[in-house]
């Protein structure tokens, strides 16, 4: 058993079964071997590949969106890129490089602000933006001496700041934030509930399993996604259990009776209050500072039931086996994010990634890049990457883009349409298929 699995087991033995949210938070970000405390998890040799890692075209096209809206918002003289969960820093490096094609916009970029908890990923971001050791101040905590806190990037002498939480990000009063959250919300913890009789919900919790068979059996009885996935070779020390009574989480999160009444007995739903909290903060912040933001992630525009899963070596796997050894994720409920931003900011979309990238000119950029080489294999690779990012059967449909503008903004961002009144109301519901 790894130290992290032992830590989770001891926690459960001491306090009883834990929420999936607690399990996810420990497995992903615990300093005792949480998944994101390791650095090399991305790329073909890692567990998953994200859009910015597939091709530079992704970040370049995203930069064009910010430039266009910076123009539409009256060319503010001071801006800052703020990225939540920047991974290896590739997206930011590509956006900064592409921004230099627009000198007035580039001149406005005063600083970069990364919300990143992983010390290892902070180091990769530091290197990717060409930050020098001489310009770097490190986190004061003795156990994390080489974790960067601020530095100067050699890409345009831009100050780079790191934070654990969005709440900590401080911009100068006249600085307009350009926010990006790419594959961030899918990593935030979810709670999972099952509807019983009447409006009573039980919570699906994580308990200690005596054997791998018991873990698999309990999970399949629970109708969780693991029954449809490979079990993996790793020993599984945990299983799902239903809470006997209504938990405080169930009572609080599902207190809206109209919402609760829309589900049937036996339905499962996944809810991420941390996502809602982050989205509310973002919305308030973007409105207060006259900024703009994009949320790009996989998910749907409604509430879902059984999408919690592990990802290891590019395959879906049992999220309860070997915590810390795999990414844990759940599809994003964009309707819930929009609802969390209601009355705080103007949200647009989500639209599908393929549509967004095409509208922002990815084909023209592909053509430019194809023209720079005569090497057929390089050209083929460029076309393959373009297809992967935009094809509806690949990442073009499941990945979606949501835009956030200040509440009082009269601008409708490209390529979005104004939201319909009913979209602003409640999270939508998908009938759960078990
Ligand atoms: C799936 S990766 C995406 C990385 C990058 N945006 C990309 O697309 O390549 C998730 C990122 O969010 C960070 N992260 C996860 N949970 C976090 C949290 N609660 N607070 C801050 N960062 C978090 C991870 O460390 C990682 O950088």
């Amino acid at each position: 058993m790894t130290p992290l699995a032992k830590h989770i087991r001891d926690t459960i033995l001491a306090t009883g079964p834990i929420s999936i949210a607690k399990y996810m938070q420990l497995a992903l970000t615990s300093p005792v071997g949480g998944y994101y405390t390791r650095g090399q998890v991305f790329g073909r040799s890692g567990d998953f590949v994200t859009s910015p890692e597939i091709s530079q075209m992704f970040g370049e096209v995203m930069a064009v969106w910010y430039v266009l809206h910076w123009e539409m918002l009256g060319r503010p003289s001071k801006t800052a890129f703020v990225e939540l969960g920047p991974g290896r820093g590739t997206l930011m490096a590509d956006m900064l490089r592409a921004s230099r094609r627009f000198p007035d916009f580039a001149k406005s970029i005063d600083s970069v602000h990364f919300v990143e908890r992983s010390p290892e990923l902070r180091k990769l971001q530091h290197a990717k933006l060409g930050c020098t050791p001489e310009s770097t101040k490190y986190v004061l905590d003795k156990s994390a001496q080489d974790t960067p806190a601020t530095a100067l990037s050699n890409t345009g002498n831009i100050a780079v700041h790191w934070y654990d939480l969005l709440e900590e990000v401080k911009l100068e009063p006249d600085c307009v934030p350009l926010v990006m959250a790419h594959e961030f919300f899918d990593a935030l913890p979810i709670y999972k509930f099952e509807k019983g009789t009447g409006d009573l919900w039980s919570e699906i919790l994580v308990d200690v399993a005596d054997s791998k068979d018991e873990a698999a059996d309990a999970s399949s009885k629970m109708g969780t996604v693991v029954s449809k996935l490979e079990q993996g070779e790793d020993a599984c020390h945990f299983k799902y259990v239903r809470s006997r009574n209504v938990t405080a989480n169930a009572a609080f999160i599902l207190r809206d009776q109209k919402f609760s009444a829309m589900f049937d007995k036996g339905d499962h739903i996944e809810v991420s209050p941390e996502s809602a909290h982050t989205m509310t903060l973002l919305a308030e912040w973007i409105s207060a500072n006259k900024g703009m933001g994009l949320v790009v992630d996989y998910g749907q525009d409604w509430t879902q039931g059984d999408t919690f899963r592990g990802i290891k070596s590019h395959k879906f796997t049992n999220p309860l086996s070997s915590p810390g050894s795999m990414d844990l994720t759940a599809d994003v409920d964009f309707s819930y994010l929009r609802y969390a931003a209601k009355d705080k900011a103007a949200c647009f979309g989500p639209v599908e990634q393929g549509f967004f990238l095409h509208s922002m000119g990815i084909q023209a950029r592909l053509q430019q890049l194809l023209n720079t080489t005569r090497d057929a294999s390089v050209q083929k690779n460029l076309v393959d990457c373009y297809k992967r990012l935009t094809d509806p059967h690949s990442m073009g449909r499941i990945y979606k883009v949501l835009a956030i503008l200040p509440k009082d903004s009269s601008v409708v961002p490209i390529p979005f349409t104004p939201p319909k009144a009913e979209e602003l109301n409640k999270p939508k519901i998908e009938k759960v298929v078990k």
Side-chain angles (χ1 to χ4, degrees), residues 25 28-29 36-37 41-42 48-53 58 83-91 115-118 121 125 163-165 180-189 274 298 327:
Q25 183 230 321
L28 290 180
T29 55
Y36 283 115
T37 59
V41 295
F42 299 82
F48 54 86
V49 182
T50 59
S51 299
E53 303 294 337
F58 185 83
E83 188 175 359
L84 311 187
R88 294 212 294 201
T90 307
L91 176 55
V115 178
E116 175 61 72
R117 285 203 195 156
S118 160
L121 289 175
Q125 294 148 16
Y163 314 84
D164 285 335
L165 298 169
M180 167 59 81
H182 182 265
E183 285 209 30
F184 174 74
F185 282 101
D186 71 79
L188 295 190
E274 194 172 327
Y298 42 83
D327 191 20

Side-chain angles (χ1 to χ4, degrees), residues 74 118 154 156 270 368 406:
S118 160
N154 70 9
E270 293 168 339
Q368 276 180 343

Side-chain angles (χ1 to χ4, degrees), residues 42-225:
F42 299 82
R44 283 175 225 284
S45 60
D47 290 316
F48 54 86
V49 182
T50 59
S51 299
E53 303 294 337
I54 289 174
S55 168
Q56 66 182 76
M57 289 183 278
F58 185 83
E60 291 168 348
V61 165
M62 289 294 161
V64 170
W65 187 88
Y66 289 102
V67 176
L68 280 175
H69 294 85
W70 172 78
E71 294 271 359
M72 284 161 95
L73 292 181
R75 300 178 139 239
S77 60
K78 203 191 269 186
T79 61
F81 272 121
V82 180
E83 188 175 359
L84 311 187
R88 294 212 294 201
T90 307
L91 176 55
M92 186 55 68
D94 289 342
M95 292 204 298
L96 288 174
R97 194 188 57 254
S99 298
R100 291 209 291 272
R101 297 259 183 133
F102 307 91
D104 287 351
F105 174 69
K107 228 187 282 164
S108 80
I109 304 169
D110 157 80
S111 46
V112 167
H113 302 257
F114 283 144
V115 178
E116 175 61 72
R117 285 203 195 156
S118 160
E120 289 309 311
L121 289 175
R122 282 192 187 191
K123 286 176 211 162
L124 294 181
Q125 294 148 16
H126 182 268
K128 193 77 176 187
L129 293 200
C131 298
T132 55
E134 311 80 65
S135 71
T136 306
K137 289 200 178 104
Y138 295 90
V139 171
L140 287 176
D141 179 351
K142 267 202 191 128
S143 62
Q145 276 168 343
D146 54 353
T147 303
T150 64
L152 216 51
S153 161
N154 70 9
T155 40
N157 246 3
I158 291 170
V160 186
H161 303 267
W162 283 265
Y163 314 84
D164 285 335
L165 298 169
L166 176 63
E167 287 91 324
E168 295 166 3
V169 180
K170 292 270 176 299
L171 299 185
E172 288 176 40
D174 56 342
C175 192
V176 169
L178 315 173
V179 180
M180 167 59 81
H182 182 265
E183 285 209 30
F184 174 74
F185 282 101
D186 71 79
L188 295 190
I190 56 133
Y191 292 84
K192 186 159 167 163
F193 304 102
E194 181 178 289
K195 190 159 186 193
T197 311
D199 267 344
L200 294 182
W201 291 81
S202 49
E203 184 172 350
I204 296 185
L205 302 166
V206 178
D207 200 354
V208 171
D210 293 331
S211 67
K212 188 177 174 185
D213 288 348
E214 193 203 2
D217 190 43
S219 295
S220 68
K221 277 196 196 123
M222 212 62 70
T224 57
V225 75

Side-chain angles (χ1 to χ4, degrees), residues 396-407:
R397 177 165 296 152
I398 183 71
Y399 281 76
K400 301 191 173 61
V401 185
L402 179 92
I404 314 165
L405 288 187
K407 192 177 161 196

Side-chain angles (χ1 to χ4, degrees), residues 195-402:
K195 190 159 186 193
T197 311
D199 267 344
L200 294 182
W201 291 81
S202 49
E203 184 172 350
I204 296 185
L205 302 166
V206 178
D207 200 354
V208 171
D210 293 331
S211 67
K212 188 177 174 185
D213 288 348
E214 193 203 2
D217 190 43
S219 295
S220 68
K221 277 196 196 123
M222 212 62 70
T224 57
V225 75
V226 69
S227 58
K228 297 169 215 150
L229 300 176
E230 289 179 36
Q231 287 292 314
E233 291 307 308
D234 300 322
C236 185
H237 303 283
F238 303 101
K239 65 179 179 185
Y240 296 109
V241 290
R242 264 182 214 95
S243 64
R244 277 199 217 114
N245 303 313
V246 179
T247 59
N249 294 326
F252 184 72
I253 296 169
L254 291 156
R255 67 194 179 285
D256 181 339
Q257 286 189 344
K258 256 199 211 157
F259 179 66
S260 166
M262 284 188 272
F263 297 91
D264 292 328
K265 188 173 177 195
D267 282 351
H268 289 173
I269 60 167
E270 293 168 339
V271 186
S272 172
E274 194 172 327
S275 295
H277 173 67
T278 306
M279 189 66 185
T280 304
L281 279 180
L282 260 187
E284 284 171 350
W285 202 58
I286 284 175
S287 283
N289 296 288
K290 308 249 173 286
M292 62 188 86
L294 289 177
V295 174
V296 188
D297 224 311
Y298 42 83
Q300 305 295 351
D301 200 18
W302 51 74
T303 304
Q304 294 151 97
D306 283 315
T307 71
F308 176 51
R309 58 194 180 269
I311 301 180
K312 190 172 186 176
S313 306
H314 305 271
K315 284 191 183 141
F316 290 168
T317 188
N318 178 359
L320 299 191
S321 71
S322 303
S325 74
M326 67 183 72
D327 191 20
L328 296 182
T329 181
D331 283 6
V332 169
D333 177 355
F334 283 95
S335 62
Y336 191 57
L337 295 187
R338 224 179 26 233
Y339 185 60
K342 193 174 171 240
D343 304 329
K344 315 268 182 223
C347 284
F348 300 85
V351 295
E352 292 175 2
Q353 173 166 297
F355 169 73
F356 182 89
L357 294 177
H358 277 130
S359 307
M360 300 314 299
I362 193 169
Q363 269 178 321
R365 183 60 185 142
L366 170 68
Q367 196 54 57
Q368 276 180 343
L369 290 171
L370 289 173
N371 291 344
T372 61
T373 176
R374 290 190 174 183
D375 184 328
S377 68
V378 175
Q379 290 185 330
K380 180 176 177 313
N381 184 46
L382 281 166
V383 173
D384 287 348
C385 291
Y386 153 77
K387 283 190 186 153
R388 193 161 168 201
L389 292 173
T390 58
D391 191 302
H393 301 295
S394 187
M395 300 167 89
R397 177 165 296 152
I398 183 71
Y399 281 76
K400 301 191 173 61
V401 185
L402 179 92

